[in-house]
Every structure is written in C-alpha cells, then in structure tokens.
Amino acid sequence: MAAAVDLAERRARALIGRVERRSLGVVRAAEAAEFARAAGETSPRLVDPDDAGFVVHPMYVVSLLRGAPGPGDEELRPDGMYRDEVPGTDGLDVGLMAGGQDVRWLAGVRPGDRIEVRRTLTAVERKGRGTGFLLLTVEKTYGTAERGALAEVTERFIVR
C-alpha cells in the first residue's frame, strides 16, 4: 500500500491547479423530490414537484457526481466510487474516505437548471506517521451559464 500511496501523491501533485469541467445535465423536479424524500424530508415544498412552493433541496446539487443516466461499470472502482472522483488514485489499490465537506450556497437551484461543475485540486498534504496518508483538497463550483455560481464546495479526501 505504501508504494500506491506514494504514486497517488505524485500523480495528485501533478494535477494541482488543473481545472476540470463537467456537465451534470438538467435538474429534474421529480429526481430532486426523490432526493429530498431519501434524505428524510416530508415538507411538500421539498418532496412534491406539483406544490406551488416547490424548491430543490439545497444539498441536491452538491450530491450530483454525474448526469443521467449515471455511470457505466467502467467508470466505477471496485469500492463503488467513481474512478476519477479522487484525483491521482485511478487504478491504484488505495483506500479512500471522505475527509470533510464545506458548502457555501450562493443561489437556489431550480428545476430546469442545466448544471455544470468546475473542479480543481488545490492541495495535497501528507499526514500521519510512517507511511501515513494523503489529505487531498478539491474545490468545486456548481453553476449555470445563465445564473452563474450556485454553490461552492470544498471537499477533502483521505487516501491510505
């Protein structure tokens, strides 16, 4: 594992500052409502697209990793994560864990919004003793061409 973590560190450091963009498709009210129900919400304004006051749950957009129809098997790691979700780790036998997330909402997401995410790896830190682990920091901005940024997210990933 130590060699894999070392390789992941070299790969990740080479990616620092590189901006990636991905279309996440159009926000569909029915899918946003299903997300809210799965999150335990019961308010009609979050779970009923026919409700006059319907709004998209704030966490829905930051939960999106891909647009419909979702991933093919070739896009996933054996542990179920996307192969490219944690920079520098594709194809390596490393353990991955979420290391925290900070979200700043700038505007509400609306049904019909065509969402694009911009992602940049901003930091790679070696932590712990011995081989230790990596802490990768990724900045994401979710937005639309028409309305600009909707949410800014800082995510951290632990690589062991």
Side-chain angles (χ1 to χ4, degrees):
M1 274 297 227
V5 171
D6 291 341
L7 180 54
E9 181 177 14
R10 285 193 302 277
R11 285 180 177 181
R13 288 191 185 284
L15 297 172
I16 290 175
R18 188 176 114 209
V19 177
E20 299 174 346
R21 287 182 166 73
R22 174 177 295 133
S23 172
L24 298 177
V26 174
V27 174
R28 292 171 183 80
E31 292 169 2
E34 183 61 33
F35 172 87
R37 282 190 290 280
E41 299 291 350
T42 58
S43 170
R45 68 184 205 76
L46 292 169
V47 301
D48 182 0
D50 294 326
D51 185 87
F54 179 76
V55 295
V56 174
H57 191 290
M59 287 301 292
Y60 178 70
V61 72
V62 300
S63 76
L64 296 175
L65 299 176
R66 296 290 193 280
D73 288 342
E74 71 283 354
E75 294 180 79
L76 299 174
R77 292 170 38 98
D79 61 11
M81 289 187 71
Y82 282 97
R83 295 175 58 111
D84 65 352
E85 189 59 24
V86 181
T89 64
D90 186 16
L92 299 180
D93 184 20
V94 293
L96 304 175
M97 294 176 27
Q101 182 182 62
D102 299 309
V103 181
R104 183 172 158 234
W105 285 275
L106 306 171
V109 176
R110 301 174 188 155
D113 279 347
R114 182 171 297 283
I115 303 295
E116 181 179 276
V117 63
R118 185 179 69 233
R119 178 176 90 155
T120 308
L121 176 65
T122 59
V124 177
E125 302 171 75
R126 184 69 82 133
K127 301 279 189 174
R129 297 174 191 222
T131 301
F133 62 93
L134 301 178
L135 183 64
L136 307 183
T137 302
V138 176
E139 302 286 338
K140 293 181 177 180
T141 301
Y142 295 82
T144 70
E146 301 77 24
R147 298 192 306 125
L150 303 175
E152 296 173 338
V153 178
T154 300
E155 290 182 318
R156 284 164 291 285
F157 298 98
I158 295 169
V159 181
R160 294 186 170 260

